[in-house]
Amino acid sequence: MIPLPPTAPPGVACADALACDVACFPTPDAYLNLVRAWREDGFEVCADLCGVDYLGHPGRDLPEGVGATRFEVVVNLLSVSTRRRVRVRVQAGDREPRVASLFGVYPGTEAMEREAFDLLGILFDGHPDLTRILMPEDWEGHPLRKDYAVGRVPVQFKEAPGPR
Amino acid sequence: MSDVTHETTVRVAERVERLTAETSEGPQGLLERRATDLNELGREVGAVLRGTGLALDPRDVDVERSDDETMIINMGPAHPSTHGVLRLMLELDGEYVLRTKPVIGYLHTGMEKTGETLRYMQGSTNVTRMDYLSPISNELGYCTAVETLLGVELPARAVWIRMLMAELNRVASHLVWLATNGMDLGSTSMMIYGFRERELILAFFEKTTGLRMNHNYIRPGGVAADLPDGWEDDVTVICDTILERTDEYDDLLTGQPIFRGRMEGVAPISAEEAMALGVTGPILRSTGVAWDLRRTMPYLAYDQVDFDVIVGTYGDNFDRFAVRLNEIRESIRIIRQCVERMPRGDYRVQDAKVTPPPRARIDESMEALIHHFKLFTEGFQVPVGEVYTAIESPRGELGCYLVSDGGPHPFRMHVRAPSFVNLQAVPLMMRGGMVSDAITVISSVDPIMGEVDR
């Protein structure tokens, strides 16, 4: 398990993670500063950013002191120079999920944050262009939310031909 | 007379308004400068490195320039050079590109949402359709994530078969890239050659997996079927032919003055810019960063085979071409080692909770029948947890983030598509270039729209 970077904000919980060195769980306030600290610690690439809607599966394994919320933003950082990976999981809230945008630290998160906004409705403060990216502009709702009604095309069974 | 002119003007204005309303993507598109946020403006001109703050150098984004001097045009989504349904909006000053914004989503089919309703065993039929030029990589990325959560250990033969197929797929994918890149530059003969050689590999895939594309061959716990009889000869023929033909393409393209003129020094990107944007794969390697997950974070048995990581120097179009061309040769080196060293044994894990029993056992054994029935009606349960695994696809880091709630379906399945992220480098590469170079920029980024939009 790798230690937190020296400039990390206090009170960030950590845990071992599968296929990754460590997962850390900052509060939404500490999130941006923690990612910036990892950036200064040599994590040059933000490999991935996505959101998860935990509606219907609240009992996930979190370290002590981290209150589970419905939405979570998961960031996977990568250090090319030291060949390490680290995962940052931030609890984004229940009703109106909102976290800071990483655009200023990693410009490459622009499209990923737009995708998380589009499909899950997570708001990113400080994002320059928070518009839909995959769905049409006038789409209603956020399809990857667990309470989003999946549209179905009803199957039209032809009536069985009657007796002649 | 003036009435007539006035009427015509009104009619034209109405028509323009109607067309705009019909084709506009609203705020998703490229807007006029006065309607664009300064940070967004910076992104559209490709100003990436700004330290940690958000302060932009106003000179960087030409805030002084008025909208009257420039023109916003639309390229795509149905333009032959955009490799699918990529739509680029360009702001032009004469023939020079000032700002670029890719507008995507035309091929969005909700695969991540679909993935949540499919069982783990069905999932690879879904992900294989994302990057349709390297379906094996998608299946591999997904299955690696599932197996990490399950904690199963693969038999050696399954590992080596996966490696063989993944490398064959990389060759096929790079050949299509060579072909389409040639076509974008007007070299239609390259187009024919690239697709011709790819067909050799697809024929072998058909023999092995039953399908030319969208194989669903790599499945959680191993692969769907063992390699066919005589596969060594088939693969050796493929290797010999393609290696020989690769030298011919080298002769055909590398030294050709027109080709070099269109490629050399066009659309350069630096290593810092590429990493800040999250760009991986051949684009990152062309800037001189030797980052290849097969070497730097080995998976399968890549730490046991001998190959070189190809890097470029300048990060321009030509380097990206050279990296991909030479990666074909390196992949063939790996394939030859797979042929020589293919271990014997099972091609899938012999765990009855994950792998269905062989067909013949079902007739004899009640337990086998029950296992078979349970696996195909309920699927297998995966322990609660979350995992992010990454593999090196022909286009870069293909990651799969999987959350399991202990049931037979993934709770959340997210694929980190390399093309989706790499596409963000387009505004930077376009900046200051000409419209004719835009075609080569798109081509050298090699976006696969099925993967971008998922």
Side-chain angles (χ1 to χ4, degrees):
Chain A
M1 189 157 138
I2 50 174
L4 280 173
T7 46
V12 174
C14 277
D16 282 323
L18 271 177
C20 189
D21 285 325
V22 64
C24 37
F25 301 81
T27 58
D29 298 331
Y31 167 62
L32 186 60
N33 285 333
L34 177 72
V35 172
R36 198 168 273 150
W38 281 122
R39 173 75 187 83
E40 285 160 13
D41 197 41
F43 284 80
E44 303 96 340
V45 179
C46 175
D48 187 35
L49 183 149
C50 69
V52 185
D53 177 3
Y54 275 102
L55 186 73
H57 175 42
R60 59 190 184 278
D61 196 15
L62 291 173
E64 231 173 279
V66 181
T69 61
R70 180 179 160 186
F71 290 98
E72 187 175 300
V73 173
V74 184
V75 183
N76 282 287
L77 303 177
L78 171 69
S79 170
V80 167
S81 46
T82 58
R83 302 187 182 182
R84 290 181 297 171
R85 280 184 193 280
V86 68
R87 184 143 65 239
V88 177
R89 292 170 62 185
V90 56
Q91 307 300 314
D94 293 312
R95 287 281 160 112
E96 197 180 59
R98 180 182 281 276
V99 289
S101 168
L102 298 185
F103 180 71
V105 191
Y106 298 102
T109 55
E110 200 267 350
M112 307 175 198
E113 285 177 352
R114 263 177 84 189
E115 189 192 322
F117 161 73
D118 186 3
L119 300 181
L120 282 155
I122 298 170
L123 299 169
F124 293 89
D125 286 329
H127 190 285
D129 178 33
L130 204 60
T131 49
R132 287 188 181 274
I133 185 167
L134 295 178
M135 305 304 286
E137 189 52 48
D138 53 356
W139 195 265
E140 278 174 29
H142 301 284
L144 271 183
R145 287 192 173 191
K146 290 286 178 185
D147 54 1
Y148 181 85
V150 181
R152 286 180 195 278
V153 179
V155 182
Q156 298 284 322
F157 291 107
K158 279 193 186 142
E159 260 180 60
R164 272 179 231 177
Chain B
M1 189 66 192
S2 68
D3 275 358
V4 174
T5 325
H6 177 72
E7 206 177 306
T8 322
T9 321
V10 168
R11 216 182 298 143
V12 168
E14 274 172 6
R15 215 169 125 238
V16 167
E17 204 168 295
R18 205 187 68 233
L19 274 175
T20 315
E22 278 174 5
T23 57
S24 173
E25 280 294 341
Q28 277 185 40
L30 187 77
L31 304 177
E32 291 175 331
R33 278 169 187 261
R34 58 174 177 271
T36 310
D37 175 80
L38 191 64
N39 283 318
E40 169 64 7
L41 212 55
R43 205 182 65 81
E44 287 165 0
V45 298
V48 168
L49 298 175
R50 301 179 304 274
T52 47
L54 275 172
L56 268 181
D57 187 352
R59 279 171 306 176
D60 245 8
V61 288
D62 289 341
V63 275
E64 302 297 316
R65 197 182 283 271
S66 89
D67 285 321
D68 303 336
E69 296 169 34
T70 60
M71 175 171 65
I72 291 180
I73 66 155
N74 207 18
M75 196 167 156
H79 190 281
S81 77
T82 55
H83 296 208
V85 282
L86 171 65
R87 174 178 172 193
L88 288 181
M89 294 186 78
L90 309 167
E91 187 191 46
L92 303 179
D93 176 19
E95 207 170 336
Y96 291 92
V97 178
L98 297 175
R99 290 191 291 153
T100 313
K101 190 171 182 186
V103 182
I104 60 174
Y106 294 95
L107 215 55
H108 179 62
T109 46
M111 281 167 158
E112 290 183 3
K113 186 80 174 173
T114 314
E116 292 173 7
T117 62
L118 296 176
R119 293 189 294 275
Y120 286 97
M121 195 59 101
Q122 297 170 322
S124 55
T125 32
N126 182 34
V127 293
T128 191
R129 281 153 174 81
M130 287 183 179
D131 179 351
Y132 37 76
L133 288 185
S134 61
I136 299 275
S137 296
N138 294 322
E139 296 167 17
L140 181 61
Y142 169 77
C143 292
T144 312
V146 176
E147 284 152 8
T148 314
L149 273 178
L150 273 173
V152 296
E153 182 90 18
L154 286 183
R157 189 174 173 87
V159 170
W160 283 76
I161 292 180
R162 283 182 175 192
M163 206 157 71
L164 170 81
M165 298 298 269
E167 290 309 312
L168 279 170
N169 207 173
R170 188 183 314 275
V171 174
S173 171
H174 281 346
L175 282 171
V176 173
W177 180 79
L178 277 177
T180 50
N181 183 58
M183 186 179 64
D184 290 339
L185 295 176
S187 160
T188 40
S189 43
M190 190 60 235
M191 165 83 180
I192 296 165
Y193 299 151
F195 275 96
R196 181 185 65 186
E197 264 63 274
R198 171 186 183 237
E199 205 60 30
L200 288 174
I201 296 176
L202 292 191
F204 177 71
F205 279 168
E206 186 174 8
K207 197 171 169 183
T208 312
T209 71
L211 292 164
R212 291 170 79 251
M213 296 168 84
N214 305 335
H215 312 286
N216 188 20
Y217 180 64
I218 297 181
R219 297 182 188 175
V223 294
D226 208 345
L227 294 168
D229 291 343
W231 65 273
E232 295 97 337
D233 299 338
D234 292 343
V235 174
T236 309
V237 169
I238 290 174
C239 289
D240 291 344
T241 316
I242 289 180
L243 208 54
E244 195 190 315
R245 304 256 167 92
T246 311
D247 292 340
E248 288 175 15
Y249 307 149
D250 220 344
D251 291 343
L252 181 70
L253 295 176
T254 311
Q256 206 221 29
I258 300 173
F259 184 75
R260 291 191 83 111
R262 297 282 313 264
M263 300 292 267
E264 273 180 330
V266 175
I269 181 169
S270 74
E272 288 75 30
E273 287 164 338
M275 284 195 281
L277 286 170
V279 169
T280 46
I283 307 177
L284 180 61
R285 286 194 286 279
S286 76
T287 65
V289 181
W291 184 258
D292 187 327
L293 291 174
R294 293 177 294 171
R295 170 63 51 79
T296 51
M297 291 180 166
Y299 52 97
L300 295 182
Y302 281 111
D303 48 351
Q304 296 168 38
V305 289
D306 194 25
F307 69 101
D308 291 329
V309 175
I310 309 291
V311 292
T313 314
Y314 304 106
D316 61 352
N317 270 350
F318 188 78
D319 276 0
R320 292 191 275 275
F321 159 76
V323 165
R324 289 192 178 106
L325 185 72
N326 286 302
E327 274 184 9
I328 295 182
R329 295 186 172 124
E330 293 306 316
S331 288
I332 287 185
R333 259 174 84 187
I334 301 178
I335 294 167
R336 285 196 199 277
Q337 293 171 60
C338 289
V339 175
E340 277 167 22
R341 296 168 57 187
M342 181 64 71
R344 296 183 175 282
D346 290 320
Y347 59 91
R348 54 187 182 183
V349 61
Q350 290 307 308
D351 179 348
K353 296 293 173 204
V354 179
T355 309
R359 177 69 188 82
R361 291 279 299 149
I362 297 173
D363 299 339
E364 303 163 354
S365 153
M366 190 64 199
E367 285 73 29
L369 184 65
I370 293 171
H371 276 307
H372 187 274
F373 183 74
K374 286 294 238 186
L375 270 179
F376 284 97
T377 49
E378 277 181 26
F380 51 81
Q381 320 268 315
V382 168
V384 182
E386 42 95 55
V387 69
Y388 176 84
T389 56
I391 61 147
E392 186 76 23
S393 101
R395 270 154 279 282
E397 171 172 330
L398 191 142
C400 184
Y401 183 72
L402 211 58
V403 180
S404 167
D405 62 348
H409 309 102
F411 187 75
R412 171 88 164 94
M413 195 267 299
H414 168 75
V415 171
R416 188 262 190 211
S419 304
F420 178 70
V421 185
N422 291 357
L423 205 57
Q424 295 186 78
V426 167
L428 172 89
M429 292 178 178
M430 293 277 195
R431 183 187 192 182
M434 298 180 74
V435 184
S436 52
D437 289 336
I439 314 282
T440 64
V441 171
I442 303 169
S443 173
S444 81
V445 169
D446 191 18
I448 301 299
M449 297 316 288
E451 183 182 62
V452 173
D453 295 338
R454 277 160 290 143

